[in-house]
């Protein structure tokens, strides 16, 4: 009975479908929330990945200061675009690529790693490959628009060539679309970047864009329920500049 319940919970995590059998055959169902509490962020793990699935009402790119943990409306936040220099003062021009925050378009610095972008407006998200400025403009024209550039890993089901070397080893994180749901996926341990990309494909990601990582840049947090908050990696510095943020 215990095994049956575990498998049932795994299948419920993705109501639009399930991950590839190869990705869940060794997966463990993880519940960060008591059954009587409302779940804000669901968590699933495989042997190598942590998958966080927010139940959000809107998304924004917060710039300048990381969302406060005291803001009960925030359920998940993580560093998004690259930061150019470690500056004491915040400048939008220190964010890699043009970006939309709180419905405003800002000019960032040119970055060859920005092979794609993620935008969200009119309650719809888009993963974009190569040219994406026109979609940033559309995001500004809507009431809830946001967007940022980053390195595309998977686009419309196809693995893309990346600027980051596949042999580089780190703990990696990406914003993904799996079974028509947005999720943030992170490797449990330090692994080669090429392996991380293959694991995303195996997990059934049809779209995946990189999120900034590294010591200090990997600091993130999420709220499984109203009464619990979980940090991912300790805060090491205050040089981060932007965060993709999900609101309940």
């Amino acid at each position: 009975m215990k095994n049956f319940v575990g498998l049932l919970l795994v299948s419920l995590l993705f109501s639009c479908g399930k991950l590839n059998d190869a990705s869940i055959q060794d997966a463990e169902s993880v519940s960060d929330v008591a059954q009587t509490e409302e779940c804000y962020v669901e968590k699933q793990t495989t042997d190598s990945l942590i998958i966080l699935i927010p139940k959000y009402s809107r998304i924004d790119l917060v710039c300048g200061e990381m969302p406060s943990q005291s803001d009960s409306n925030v359920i998940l936040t993580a560093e998004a675009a690259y930061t150019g220099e470690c500056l004491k003062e915040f400048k939008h021009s220190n964010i890699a690529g043009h970006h939309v925050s709180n419905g405003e378009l800002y000019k960032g610095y040119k970055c060859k790693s920005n092979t794609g972008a993620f935008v969200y407006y009119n309650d719809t998200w888009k993963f974009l490959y190569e040219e994406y400025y026109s979609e940033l403009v559309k995001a500004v024209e809507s009431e809830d628009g946001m967007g940022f550039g980053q390195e595309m890993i998977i686009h419309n089901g196809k693995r893309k060539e990346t600027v980051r070397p596949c042999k580089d080893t780190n703990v990696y994180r990406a914003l993904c679309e799996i079974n028509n749901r947005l999720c943030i996926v992170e490797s449990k341990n330090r692994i080669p970047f090429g392996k991380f990309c293959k694991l995303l494909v195996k997990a059934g990601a049809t779209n995946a864009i990189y999120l900034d990582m590294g010591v200090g840049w990997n600091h993130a947090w999420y709220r499984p329920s109203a009464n619990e908050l979980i940090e991912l990696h300790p805060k090491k510095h205050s040089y981060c500049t932007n965060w993709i943020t999900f609101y309940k």
Side-chain angles (χ1 to χ4, degrees), residues 65-136:
E65 185 174 349
M66 189 177 194
S68 172
Q69 295 182 2
S70 64
D71 187 345
S72 61
N73 289 314
V74 176
I75 59 173
L76 173 59
T77 186
E79 183 81 354
Y82 290 126
T83 297
E85 300 178 88
C86 295
L87 303 178
K88 292 183 178 180
E89 71 281 1
F90 169 73
K91 297 179 180 180
H92 279 283
S93 58
N94 196 32
I95 296 175
H98 299 336
H99 51 280
V100 176
S101 171
N102 195 30
E104 296 290 334
L105 177 62
Y106 298 94
K107 182 178 180 180
Y109 70 89
K110 291 183 178 179
C111 179
K112 67 177 182 179
S113 294
N114 283 9
T115 55
F118 173 82
V119 298
Y120 178 87
Y121 61 91
N122 295 335
D123 296 325
T124 302
W125 71 76
K126 292 183 180 181
F127 288 84
L128 307 164
Y129 184 59
E130 296 181 335
E131 198 286 322
Y132 57 85
Y133 183 78
S134 61
E135 286 291 339
L136 292 179

Side-chain angles (χ1 to χ4, degrees), residues 2-14:
K2 181 178 179 181
N3 291 336
F4 172 77
V5 173
L7 291 173
L8 178 60
L9 286 173
V10 171
S11 66
L12 287 176
L13 286 178
F14 287 92

Side-chain angles (χ1 to χ4, degrees), residues 139-153:
V140 173
E141 295 171 349
S142 70
E143 293 183 357
D144 61 352
M146 60 81 67
F148 64 93
Q150 251 293 0
E151 186 160 15
M152 188 63 64
I153 299 173

